[in-house]
Amino acid sequence: MNSGEPIPETRRDSVSGANSNFGLQQLQRWLYGAITGSSVSDGDDSERISDSVADHVAPSHALSSEERLEIYQRAYVARLIEVLREEYSVLCRAFGTELFDQFAMEYLRVYPSESYTLARLGDRFVEFLEATRPAESDRMSESNPESDENPIGNWADFFIDLARLEQTVNQVFDGPGNENLPPFSAHDLAKLSADDFATARLIVAPCVRLLETRFPVDEYFAAILRDERPAIPRPDQSYVAVSRRSYRTERRSLTRSQYTLLATMQAGVAVGDALAVAAEMGDEPIEKFANQIERWFADWTAAGFFLGYEYEAAKNPSQPDLVV
Amino acid sequence: MPELPRDSLGFGVGLRATHYAHILRESPPVDWFEIISENYIDSQGRPRHVLRQIAERYPIVMHGVSLSIGSTDPLDFEYLGKLKRLAHEIGAAWISDHLCWTGVAGRNTHDLLPLPMNDTVVSHVIERVKVVQDFLGRPLILENPSSYVTFTSSTLSEWEFVTRVVEGADCGLLLDVNNVFVSSVNHDFDPYEYLAGIPHDRVTQYHLAGHTDCGTHCIDTHDGAVIDPVWDLYRYATERTGERSTLLEWDANIPPFPVVHAEVLKARELLSGPRRDVESRPTPRRQPTTHSTDRALPHPLSFVVSAGDK
């Protein structure tokens, strides 16, 4: 509990009603199972109640007990699939509705909702897709009809990457942002001496999320949003930053050097050390890399990637000097 | 404990994401908005940002779908704490939810499931409502949901059940007259007997909405205009309660904001018209839907998608 509100001691037990409402609890467990097809039995057969619908649900003049229950059964699947289709609307268009719904139905069976909010319904969808990807043996034996170079396992990688990107965009959309924090500008950054810049740790905004993907899914994602019907691209290690500015999500493709630099700074490494890592692990000549650094930092700062900076602890061992 | 809100806020509309831009741009002369609480209590992005702006211009009522007041699971105090914080932040006029349960054993169906209506369940719900009200420091307003099954273990009519709960818990009633109509068809009761039987002085708010008549039953789809028999019920009820805050819900096939607003303003016209004999009970008429009802889904769904912002 993080509300800071006390729970009345005398009511801690009574609010559950687990003992005084045994019959209601059993009925609710039965109805939940009957509607969703997922049992929540605690395994004690002596506590089970009849499985007969007619024993619990009365008929109406027009419908039998079973027909009335079916209204809830149909609605449960339909409404939750509708939510997943909206949450993963790009993935749904990539899959096609029929295939997407098959995955969604199985996902709901494996991971039924345990949250009060539908915003969390698809939290484990990417994890589910990873877990249900074709086995390695299938990957090698089946192939993409349009390209022998794309074994079916690679197709799975593509859809998983696409789902990860879409999930990240959704999380950034409604997660913590920097809109209500003091702006940090390129001008603030320019005040630092070269030495201070090298030893400063830039504080990356919480709405900046960095993704490394096996396919160039960002381009595909953008094409789907433009209502195009792009072909599945060939594998190509790709990097993308998802961020938010003025409550609007933004995506920008990154080079490996940019991704490495940002990810290293995001991990709390000082700018100078992060630059060294990026120069070594990046994908471009060191001279070109060096020539672009200033522009990169200006662009990222303007995009709201940074909240401020703090100096290396060694400069002020008693207390880091946070500047925002 | 503060008293039940008595003054009418007027004629409001359910706040939906598709209307954000229109509302912010035009500041339409709507009396108040009702939000689906779950769409905002965790938001740290645009939905909450928009809500804060709208709350500066209009009264806001928080309407939840996940309290699960009738469940046998423990109450979720983290959820309640979030409700309380948001209500404080936006100055919510009141907080409402449904007389139902949504899940058990930690699982959530995200549906408004009916309760067996008997003495045991009345006591169970009253106890939980009192805890919630103590925690929130304000009265809870409970809505009668539409339902599609009744239970063999029920011994009370729905209006008796509602009355026992709201009077026993000393809470308010959000009377959804469309739900009364839908349930009266599904459960073969007289909706006027229902409206005559509830405690009129506890009605804090009305809900109006459209539904889908599937022939053998009705589904509370919130996808169209209010039908005349539901307007008749609204008139009959308000003649007993006096004018109360009235809100239109429209959650599927949502038209432009002016269309939704115009629909709820019919209620104002209706209430300003000549009063009828208070005993007048028009015969409820059905309006079976001609289109396919395969996709008729009960509402509200509580979900704000980021589509368009991706």
Side-chain angles (χ1 to χ4, degrees), chain A residues 130 133 139 153-154 156-162 164 212-217 233-239:
Chain A
E130 289 270 15
R133 58 180 298 133
R139 298 176 64 184
N154 282 353
D157 290 343
F158 168 75
F159 287 116
I160 291 165
D161 280 352
L162 186 65
R164 281 179 58 219
E212 179 179 7
T213 60
R214 295 156 288 197
F215 285 77
V217 286
R234 292 178 182 278
D236 184 15
Q237 199 76 3
S238 301
Y239 308 90

Side-chain angles (χ1 to χ4, degrees), chain A residues 80-107 125 128-129 163 166:
Chain A
L80 297 188
I81 285 181
E82 185 175 299
V83 170
L84 288 171
R85 281 183 195 159
E86 293 194 42
E87 184 174 357
Y88 290 94
S89 60
V90 172
L91 181 69
C92 181
R93 276 184 270 178
F95 266 146
T97 303
E98 189 175 339
L99 182 58
F100 181 88
D101 287 1
Q102 289 177 23
F103 277 109
M105 286 181 70
E106 181 62 9
Y107 169 72
F125 198 45
F128 168 79
L129 293 174
E166 187 158 29

